């Protein structure tokens, strides 16, 4: 029998949670960190649920288990854009269970919790109110063009794997096509038309502007 908890119960337990979702390079992690600092809250950055990864298995969480079942990193970078998109989407759904369990734990601390999350929109609508969720968006092309720009060891590692491919140029083109699929205009519109408050990062946008607007949306300001 599959165990489930009704969403109204989860919504009540997570009443002090503030979720920031959206596209890459929109400023989500920075906003979550700044809000937690300003309001003496807890900051849940990306992968904050990792402590539960030991419970994951390939039968129940095939996407989260992919790194244990893949044959090589060349397989990882060589998947088709459709396969990569399905893996990302499936992983977000599987990770949502781990995130919710972790957030239920944190709710016992009686503090505001600011969450950088990939919990799918339909699930967020079940577990959070309108003023608990902010969607931050950046141009879809930015995630593809700037993916390897950050001094992130994981991204550096992937880039090295691409350079080790039999045809590095073709391998990089394929991987960027994978990124483009995940950050497609269609996915962008899913966020933009989600019904949640949306902040769009522009060329002249500043973190201070984003912070002020999202604080107001979260009803944190007096």
């Amino acid at each position: 029998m599959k165990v489930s908890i009704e969403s109204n119960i989860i919504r009540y337990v997570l009443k002090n949670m503030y979720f920031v979702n959206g596209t890459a390079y929109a400023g989500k992690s920075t906003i979550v960190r700044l809000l937690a600092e300003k309001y003496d809250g807890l900051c849940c950055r990306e992968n904050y649920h990792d402590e539960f990864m030991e419970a994951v298995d390939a039968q129940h969480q095939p996407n989260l288990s992919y790194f244990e079942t893949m044959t090589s990193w060349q397989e990882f970078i060589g998947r088709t854009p459709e396969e990569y998109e399905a893996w990302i989407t499936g992983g977000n759904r599987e990770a949502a269970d781990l995130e919710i369990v972790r957030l239920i734990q944190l709710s016992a601390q009686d503090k505001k919790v600011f969450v950088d999350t990939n919990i799918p929109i339909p699930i967020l609508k079940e577990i959070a109110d309108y003023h608990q969720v902010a969607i931050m968006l950046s141009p879809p092309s930015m995630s593809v063009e700037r993916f390897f720009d950050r001094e992130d060891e994981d991204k550096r590692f992937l880039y090295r794997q691409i350079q080790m491919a039999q045809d590095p140029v073709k391998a990089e083109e394929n991987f960027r096509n994978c990124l483009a699929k995940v950050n497609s205009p269609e996915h962008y519109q899913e966020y933009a038309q989600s019904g949640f408050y949306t902040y769009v990062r522009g060329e002249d946008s500043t973190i201070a502007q984003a912070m002020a607007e999202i604080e107001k949306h979260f009803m944190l300001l007096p």
Side-chain angles (χ1 to χ4, degrees), residues 88-132:
I88 291 291
T89 302
N92 288 343
R93 175 59 191 87
E94 292 167 7
D97 292 340
L98 307 185
E99 291 191 58
I100 291 170
V101 171
R102 178 61 177 145
L103 293 174
I104 290 172
Q105 280 186 331
L106 294 175
S107 69
Q109 297 193 34
D110 195 28
K111 281 194 168 190
K112 290 180 172 60
V113 182
F114 300 94
V115 190
D116 179 358
T117 186
N118 289 314
I119 293 176
I121 294 297
I123 298 177
L124 283 176
K125 287 185 175 181
E126 290 292 320
I127 66 173
D129 292 330
Y130 175 77
H131 286 286
Q132 288 178 266

Side-chain angles (χ1 to χ4, degrees), residues 6-68:
E6 292 293 346
S7 58
N8 64 306
I9 303 300
I10 298 176
R11 184 186 291 259
Y12 175 79
V13 173
L14 303 186
K15 60 182 180 295
N16 287 332
M17 309 288 161
Y18 298 87
F19 300 92
V20 181
N21 201 337
T23 59
Y25 299 94
K28 303 188 300 296
S29 60
T30 301
I31 289 297
V32 164
R33 174 178 58 81
L34 292 175
L35 287 170
E37 290 173 357
K38 181 171 181 178
Y39 293 96
D40 189 29
L42 302 177
C43 177
C44 290
R45 296 187 177 183
E46 189 178 14
N47 301 322
Y48 65 91
H49 58 276
D50 274 359
E51 65 181 80
F52 294 114
M53 285 297 291
E54 290 187 7
V56 167
D57 63 51
Q59 177 185 351
H60 297 93
Q61 295 86 22
N63 295 287
L64 292 183
S65 300
Y66 175 75
F67 292 112
E68 303 299 323

Side-chain angles (χ1 to χ4, degrees), residues 63-64 76 79 81-95 118 120 178-179 181-183 187 191:
N63 295 287
L64 292 183
F76 178 90
R79 289 175 294 176
E82 291 73 22
E83 290 170 333
Y84 189 84
E85 177 189 38
W87 173 66
I88 291 291
T89 302
N92 288 343
R93 175 59 191 87
E94 292 167 7
N118 289 314
C178 290
L179 297 173
K181 186 70 173 176
V182 171
N183 296 282
H187 284 296
Y191 286 122

